[in-house]
Amino acid sequence: MAIKLHHEIVTLSLRHTFRTSREASDRRRNVICRIEFDDTIGFGEAAPSVYYGQDADSAGEALRQAAGRLSGDPFHLEDLVDDMARLLPHQSAARAAIDIALHDLVGKRLGVPLYRLLGLNPERTPRTSITVGLDRPEMMQRKVRELGPVPIIKIKVGGSDDQEVIKAVREVTSATLRVDANAAWSAPQALEKITALEEYDIEFVEQPLAADDLEGLRWLQKQTRMPIMLDESVRTADDIPRLAGCARGINIKLMKCGGLREALRMIHVARAHGLQIMLGCMVETSAAITAAAHLSPLVDFADLDGHLLIENDPFDGVQVTDGKLILPDRPGIGVRERSFEQEGRP
Ligand code: MG
């Protein structure tokens, strides 16, 4: 029986122009992938990131190459995922799409939700943060008010007025606040900024320094009690051992590491090094977000809001209720395709 792979590039419209210290955008092009085996279809998604040298076209090309190579038993997940890592070493998002679709397929063939296949308790999902992009203080206040009563907010910083931004946000919300600088600061600057942020009750600061400034990070984490979480500094399990002592924890994303199997390895390697774990995302539809959410009972923090930033999410999957991730109990990753015609949406 052949394993068939189809892919399609989708243009996602964002609810707000999304700014980080590096970029701004109001549309994203992701790639949806379908893997078919004996009348069962598994869904997957690639959310390629320019930061990692990938875009929808290169991810689509990678999936085209993969389509000619996938064969054998789809339950041989380790073999298939290893083979893809050799074939497409620089296309982590495309590999994540294949890995997610295979897990969806296998769960559907067995008739069990992915969390069950992994032996996880769906009650243990954490609450997710909702991310607010970089903006002027008064705009940040407006965006935070528009969110309504959410329990955790992640604020992108790294502009010239970070302290004013956080002060303004704190004035309009009592939510738990997390801060992500996306590598925008130098070590001395970060210590000054973090010290100034302490009075606003921040849960942690993500990636304050450049990805490879491990000396700076080690120094900074010794100087402050503020937990530092690393995102850009870590992609796969191999990156983790050298980060012990440089931060309190790491941010794992399926699109960086290449999928659920590598994310699982990372979770165990991070735990062995005494690191906390956050599960993050890119701007992703409910397909990839729901896949990641199935791992979330294993982690300390979730930042799985990518689907909530999109106006035209083609899938329906994990739900967010008072911030809590509610996993679907359908087989596989448990997402369903939405019909926009029926709903009268674009
Ligand atoms: Mg980040």
Side-chain angles (χ1 to χ4, degrees), residues 22 154 156 180-182 206-207 230-232 251 253 278 281 303:
R22 270 194 300 272
K154 184 165 119 175
K156 293 284 190 180
D180 188 353
N182 287 107
E206 192 176 321
Q207 199 68 47
L230 297 178
D231 179 358
E232 285 86 340
N251 184 351
K253 296 177 181 170
M278 169 177 184
C281 62
D303 181 32

Side-chain angles (χ1 to χ4, degrees), residues 240 244-245 247-250 267-277 300:
I240 295 173
R248 195 71 62 81
I250 60 163
I267 289 169
H268 299 307
V269 172
R271 289 289 182 221
H273 287 86
L275 292 163
Q276 290 190 307
I277 299 154
D300 306 291

Side-chain angles (χ1 to χ4, degrees), residues 114-344:
L114 181 56
Y115 66 79
R116 206 161 165 74
L117 198 59
L118 298 172
L120 303 178
N121 178 353
E123 308 280 306
R124 289 189 180 273
T125 56
R127 293 183 306 172
T128 181
S129 48
I130 304 290
T131 302
V132 178
L134 201 62
D135 217 322
R136 299 189 315 276
E138 57 281 13
M139 274 304 290
M140 296 293 273
Q141 282 190 328
R142 211 175 105 190
K143 288 180 181 176
V144 167
R145 281 205 190 93
E146 278 175 20
L147 290 178
V150 298
I152 313 170
I153 299 173
K154 184 165 119 175
I155 307 285
K156 293 284 190 180
V157 295
S160 53
D161 51 0
D162 293 331
Q163 199 183 344
E164 290 89 327
V165 162
I166 300 300
K167 182 171 183 285
V169 169
R170 191 37 103 204
E171 275 168 21
V172 296
T173 182
S174 58
T176 296
L177 293 182
R178 301 170 178 171
V179 163
D180 188 353
N182 287 107
W185 299 330
S186 68
Q189 194 185 16
L191 182 59
E192 197 188 308
K193 297 236 186 199
I194 288 171
T195 306
L197 291 184
E198 269 164 8
E199 66 174 295
Y200 304 107
D201 193 14
I202 307 296
E203 188 179 31
F204 58 72
V205 173
E206 192 176 321
Q207 199 68 47
L209 310 185
D212 58 359
D213 188 4
L214 301 192
E215 281 308 299
L217 287 162
R218 192 180 293 278
W219 172 82
L220 183 63
Q221 186 64 96
K222 282 211 179 81
Q223 302 298 312
T224 176
R225 287 159 72 169
M226 178 81 75
I228 294 171
M229 300 293 285
L230 297 178
D231 179 358
E232 285 86 340
S233 293
V234 56
R235 290 187 67 175
T236 67
D238 295 353
D239 298 322
I240 295 173
R242 63 174 171 269
L243 300 179
C246 296
R248 195 71 62 81
I250 60 163
N251 184 351
I252 297 173
K253 296 177 181 170
L254 299 185
M255 297 301 149
K256 286 194 296 187
C257 73
L260 293 155
R261 295 202 92 67
E262 179 63 17
L264 274 169
R265 286 180 65 211
M266 292 179 78
I267 289 169
H268 299 307
V269 172
R271 289 289 182 221
H273 287 86
L275 292 163
Q276 290 190 307
I277 299 154
M278 169 177 184
L279 204 46
C281 62
M282 308 295 182
V283 174
E284 297 165 13
T285 76
S286 285
I289 295 289
T290 304
H294 280 274
L295 297 180
S296 72
L298 287 170
V299 309
D300 306 291
F301 310 106
D303 181 32
L304 294 175
D305 65 339
H307 61 314
L308 303 175
L309 307 176
I310 299 171
E311 237 161 32
N312 55 340
D313 187 347
F315 293 97
D316 170 43
V318 66
Q319 301 297 309
V320 178
T321 304
D322 295 329
K324 172 100 172 154
L325 295 164
I326 313 290
L327 296 175
D329 58 8
R330 294 181 289 272
I333 61 173
V335 299
R336 289 183 298 210
E337 280 184 287
R338 277 194 179 136
S339 165
F340 288 111
E341 287 75 21
Q342 278 174 14
E343 292 175 24

